[in-house]
Amino acid sequence: MNEFTPTSLASPARLGKDVPRSAYIHVPFCVHRCGYCDFTLIAGRDQLMDDYLIALEKELERQVKTRREIDTLFLGGGTPSHLTLPVLEKLFSLLNEWFELAPGYEFSMEVNPAGLLVEKIDLFRAAGINRISLGLQSFDNEILKTLERDHNRNDIERVVEQLQDRFENISFDLIFGVPGESVALWKETLSRAVSLAPPHISTYGLTFEKGTDFWIRRERGELRQHTEEVEQEMYRMSMEYLPEQGYDQYEISNFAKPGFTCRHNQVYWNGASYFGLGPGAARYLDGVRTTNHRSVLTWLKRTLAGECGDGESEELNPEEKARELAVIQLRTTAGIPLKEFELRSSYDLLELSRSVIDKYHQAGWLEVTDEVVRLTPEGRFVADTLVVDFL
Ligand code: SF4
């Protein structure tokens, strides 16, 4: 854990009622849509980038209202690094108008290797970005082809070197469980990643989301999904190998060298407030969770017309907020600190979720002490199923 504590034990903020000190900006442009991707984005419509900036400014006026000091800023997508140089310059200057980065800030950006010019990398640095999340996914050209990514192993070698010359805090995103990928190949991927020494690595299991090309191709028998056993073996390998190499697992999918956990994500995991701008972006303000419209064109049209680009919005009651906090914190390896949980939510977790905790404790999936409830390594395999029972 690093020193960033948006809601510390000493002064526990009520869930989502604190002053937001973080912002997420969703950049919805990609070259094309990869077969497995169901994110909010628009592919091959780069002519809309200028309209996007105008809409974003209108949303900043509506949501953020005045210039704010923040601790963490995250540019995600889509592919933020796909924006053209002039659009990136305008975006950074817009963000600078609205957000003052506090001393010790973290400014992250998701970057893809394909077509990444060194001029852009220099611009990221000049704009104050100090953390890069690099979407590598694999080092194997066949796997990258299956995933329909635009980059290959040579692009990775070049881009990693250029980024490492300019940034210390780099995270690699990797995907396991890709059709055609063996357990040995996944081990090779992890080991290649470690040899490049990024201070942070995220590993995600491939999912077949309904409506994606991958989903359709699996239904047709064109893509074969790995068995659960193979997926678990790959995940187990990450959980064993990466800590051996000095990367502590601090969340289901995240591993970091000491001092390099992602501070922005910790805002979500602490149930703190944050701004969320751009299509499909979620925000949590004054205890209300709102998600912008997921259709890029609808969000653009409404926002440009001066209308609200919100999609869904819900204000959780105190018990629902407490349960949601439990679910979010359970994904972290630190688990749910019981005293802090009660201070922030006014609920005693062991009373609120007694039967679920007993059930999974007996199954060996939860560790329960007087101080904390957390997933055991075995429990991390079934986290998605398990956490639902806490809601
Ligand atoms: S580059 Fe990333 S965000 Fe864009 S389509 Fe592919 S997986 Fe989705």
Side-chain angles (χ1 to χ4, degrees), residues 118-167:
V118 76
E119 289 82 354
K120 282 191 186 176
I121 302 177
D122 285 334
L123 180 60
F124 303 158
R125 206 176 134 82
I129 285 165
N130 58 9
R131 182 175 186 276
I132 297 286
S133 176
L134 186 59
L136 298 184
Q137 317 314 346
S138 174
F139 295 91
D140 183 87
N141 285 344
E142 280 311 306
I143 296 296
L144 290 167
K145 220 183 275 172
T146 303
L147 288 171
E148 302 176 11
R149 303 293 302 208
D150 296 320
H151 61 273
N152 58 34
R153 195 179 171 118
N154 290 342
D155 296 323
I156 294 175
E157 311 279 330
R158 174 183 58 81
V159 163
V160 167
E161 200 183 316
Q162 290 170 339
L163 286 170
Q164 284 182 331
D165 281 348
R166 294 160 178 85
F167 296 94

Side-chain angles (χ1 to χ4, degrees), residues 26-43 76-80 110 112 135 137 147-151 175:
H26 191 77
V27 183
F29 297 95
C30 283
V31 179
H32 77 281
R33 185 179 283 275
C34 306
Y36 63 96
C37 180
D38 77 334
F39 295 157
T40 296
L41 62 92
I42 194 159
T79 310
E110 288 179 351
N112 280 348
Q137 317 314 346
L147 288 171
E148 302 176 11
R149 303 293 302 208
D150 296 320
H151 61 273
I175 292 185

